[in-house]
Amino acid sequence: MTAPQPEAYCTMDTTGLLTELVATSTVSGDPAPQRLTMNTVLSLLRARTPMLTVEGDTDGPHPWMLITNEAPPETTRLMFACHVDTVPPGDLKHWQFDPFVADIEDGVLRGRGTSDMKAGLVAATAAVLNAIHDGVPVAFLLTSDEEIGSLGAQAARHAVADCSVGAVVVPEATGNRVHLGHRGALWVDVFTAGVAAHGSTPQRGESAIFKLVDVLARAKEELPLASDAFLGAETFNVGLIDGGSAPNIVPDAAHVVIDHRTVGDGRDLLAWWRDQPEVDRIDARIDLPGVRTTPDNNWISALPNPVAAEPVTYFTDASILAAAAPSAPIVVWGPGTPALMHAADESVSLAELDAAVAAYGAVTRAWPTVD
């Protein structure tokens, strides 16, 4: 495949669409604005190409939508898979601008979700629009609540499995470099139990918080973290912690949420937490497998952008898609800066967005058309 030309193949107003999407707060867990964003994209496509098939659940707690064009039932499709949710903006004092103002300064569009992953969503929309115009069989998957466990993708996996997917692009922020996988994610709720007593006589009680502190200190030294030649090393992070009910009461309950990034199936990690004497109970909040695509693939070899040797550090909906479409190569590849994902002052270069539109256009034009 020859490299795409600098000019964008699509005449769609990509900057205008990105501005509209970023100005809409679509924080994970709130289905209404996520549903609105999906319908905005669908309305744009239908205005240009009315003959579309739409499957999905936009009324449920984790909306999703699968958009396809006309093609014979067993036609192999090129899929673009995008989540529409974002993480919260956090404390606004850390931002130099309104995270939902979606303004442009020096060729950079600023706001929450620009890099993760609304720029990728816009580039994918342009690619799908061009593909449909050219008779290329495509599938456009829009999901919700990716940031809290790929919940929309999990709800949509049966539709992906029935879709005859030939390859998948997940347009997350990679600086437009192609990546072939990522570690999995295992989020575990760990609970400790104690005995309440007056804070002036702590010897009469048993502190659940002290128990939790003890087990977390041990985890730093003893947690069985594995490693993999491609995916890298497993990690764990203490993401949330709470316990107790008042300063003058010995706490009878404490709780922590652990974020593991995994290279295996997580069974050894779960067993370690379960076996600690201080732990009363554990629950796996999310358990997503790692993803790896072999570079020894003709479609991968023909992609116009360079393929990175390393995986991305974060998880994506690819964890679900790889299981739903096991024979399809999956790449994580899109505009945006990984270091700005989930950070204050998130932004994306419009030149990078244009480059993604051009590259995706080259990929869709190289996909076999429907006779």
Side-chain angles (χ1 to χ4, degrees), residues 6-342:
E7 63 271 13
Y9 174 65
C10 182
T11 59
M12 189 185 87
D13 180 8
T14 54
T15 300
L17 178 59
L18 181 57
T19 299
E20 179 180 356
L21 297 184
V22 173
T24 302
S25 172
T26 54
V27 172
S28 308
D30 187 356
Q34 296 185 73
R35 184 182 306 120
L36 174 63
T37 293
M38 293 179 189
N39 285 327
T40 296
V41 172
L42 176 61
S43 296
L44 186 152
L45 292 174
R46 274 186 164 157
R48 305 281 192 95
T49 55
M51 300 300 292
L52 297 174
T53 298
V54 182
E55 181 181 358
D57 177 10
T58 55
D59 296 325
H62 310 298
W64 63 275
M65 186 180 290
L66 180 62
I67 304 168
T68 55
N69 56 339
E70 289 187 328
E74 299 304 315
T75 299
T76 301
R77 296 178 180 274
L78 172 62
M79 173 175 280
F80 290 86
C82 301
H83 70 85
V84 303
D85 61 311
T86 73
V87 294
D91 192 336
L92 298 184
K93 73 181 181 182
H94 299 302
W95 288 74
Q96 300 181 58
F97 48 84
D98 183 335
F100 301 107
V101 71
D103 64 347
I104 299 172
E105 183 175 288
D106 298 327
V108 172
L109 200 151
R110 310 187 302 174
R112 173 58 85 215
T114 46
S115 278
D116 187 11
M117 61 175 295
K118 291 183 178 180
L121 170 59
V122 169
T125 302
V128 169
L129 183 63
N130 287 325
I132 294 171
H133 180 269
D134 291 343
V136 175
V138 289
F140 196 10
L141 179 66
L142 304 177
T143 67
S144 62
D145 295 336
E146 183 265 358
E147 300 287 1
I148 55 175
S150 292
L151 302 180
Q154 292 189 54
R157 58 188 170 187
H158 67 282
V160 175
D162 293 339
C163 193
S164 298
V165 178
V168 182
V169 176
V170 181
E172 295 276 8
T174 66
N176 282 333
R177 295 179 72 208
V178 177
H179 290 259
L180 301 181
H182 55 73
R183 292 173 298 173
L186 174 64
W187 293 4
V188 181
D189 289 82
V190 179
F191 300 87
T192 56
V195 177
H198 198 285
S200 66
T201 55
Q203 71 276 11
R204 296 179 179 174
E206 186 177 31
S207 172
I209 290 179
F210 281 167
K211 285 185 172 183
L212 194 58
V213 169
D214 288 344
V215 75
L216 289 175
R218 192 180 312 120
K220 292 176 65 176
E221 305 298 329
E222 298 181 8
L223 198 64
L225 300 173
S227 62
D228 178 86
F230 172 63
L231 295 178
E234 291 184 328
T235 59
F236 89 104
N237 174 62
V238 178
L240 295 170
I241 190 167
D242 60 83
S245 56
N248 57 346
I249 300 176
V250 175
D252 61 1
H255 162 247
V256 66
V257 183
I258 303 295
D259 174 6
H260 304 88
R261 299 306 164 103
T262 58
V263 301
D265 60 17
R267 284 184 294 180
D268 290 344
L269 295 170
L270 289 172
W272 189 89
W273 288 108
R274 191 176 292 113
D275 290 345
Q276 302 313 300
E278 299 90 348
V279 172
D280 181 61
R281 183 176 103 246
I282 67 166
D283 295 323
R285 182 176 294 201
I286 68 170
D287 189 357
L288 299 174
V291 176
R292 66 182 86 212
T293 294
T294 174
D296 185 19
N297 177 279
N298 290 336
W299 181 74
I300 298 288
S301 301
L303 293 176
N305 287 33
V307 177
E310 71 281 355
V312 295
T313 58
Y314 46 84
F315 72 80
T316 76
D317 281 343
S319 289
I320 306 300
L321 304 177
S327 63
I330 299 178
V331 296
V332 182
W333 170 33
T337 303
L340 294 178
M341 301 169 75
H342 301 193

